Amino acid sequence: MDVATQRNPVRLLAGALLVVVGLGRGLGGLAMVFAGSGVLGVAAADAVIRIAGVVAFVLSGCVFVAGVLLVRGGRQYAFGAATVILLFLDGVWNGWLLFGVPRLRGQLANGVVLVIILGLLVVAARGRDRASGRADAG
């Protein structure tokens, strides 16, 4: 098998998780944009909800792109890490903005996913290409 076409399974897993997270959070951002103040249990003004939705959607798109790049064999580990960290911080910001305080369960779940993805990205970045013995850095 050609070295250039081989896949790092950890990189594939990290990329796939980024794609799933990007899609899920992106749909949530779109829901905020289209529902506005119709979102149940939110005390923020309509414009604030819609702006937060746009920000979440844009960040989610970046997470999705990072995941696709990794799945397709790219080595944009730093980009993937930066996007998922920004998306986590956006979740904290949305909690304060929309509910007055970040919701513990939501932030805990987001934090666990963040740590898993960051761990996978670190392992993938330090991984070795089995066929060539070269570091899979990038």
Side-chain angles (χ1 to χ4, degrees):
M1 179 181 269
D2 181 20
V3 173
T5 60
Q6 288 182 343
R7 305 280 183 182
N8 176 333
V10 179
R11 181 177 61 218
L12 286 172
L13 181 57
L17 285 174
L18 286 170
V19 166
V20 170
V21 167
L23 286 173
R25 190 70 172 99
L27 291 174
L30 283 178
M32 291 167 62
V33 169
F34 290 115
S37 59
V39 176
L40 297 176
V42 176
D46 188 70
V48 171
I49 296 168
R50 291 179 194 276
I51 291 169
V54 169
V55 171
F57 183 74
V58 169
L59 287 174
S60 298
C62 293
V63 170
F64 178 82
V65 167
V68 169
L69 290 172
L70 287 168
V71 168
R72 294 184 48 89
R75 295 183 174 129
Q76 292 78 12
Y77 304 113
F79 178 59
T83 61
V84 77
I85 289 169
L86 287 173
L87 195 64
F88 173 79
L89 294 174
D90 177 63
V92 173
W93 177 67
N94 279 342
W96 266 308
L97 196 62
L98 303 177
F99 304 107
V101 63
R103 293 191 169 175
L104 181 60
R105 274 198 253 163
Q107 294 313 311
L108 186 59
N110 290 341
V112 168
V113 171
L114 171 72
V115 168
I116 290 170
I117 291 174
L118 289 177
L120 289 170
L121 289 170
V122 168
V123 169
R126 292 185 177 181
R128 296 260 174 207
D129 181 61
R130 293 180 188 174
S132 70
R134 291 179 297 133
D136 187 22

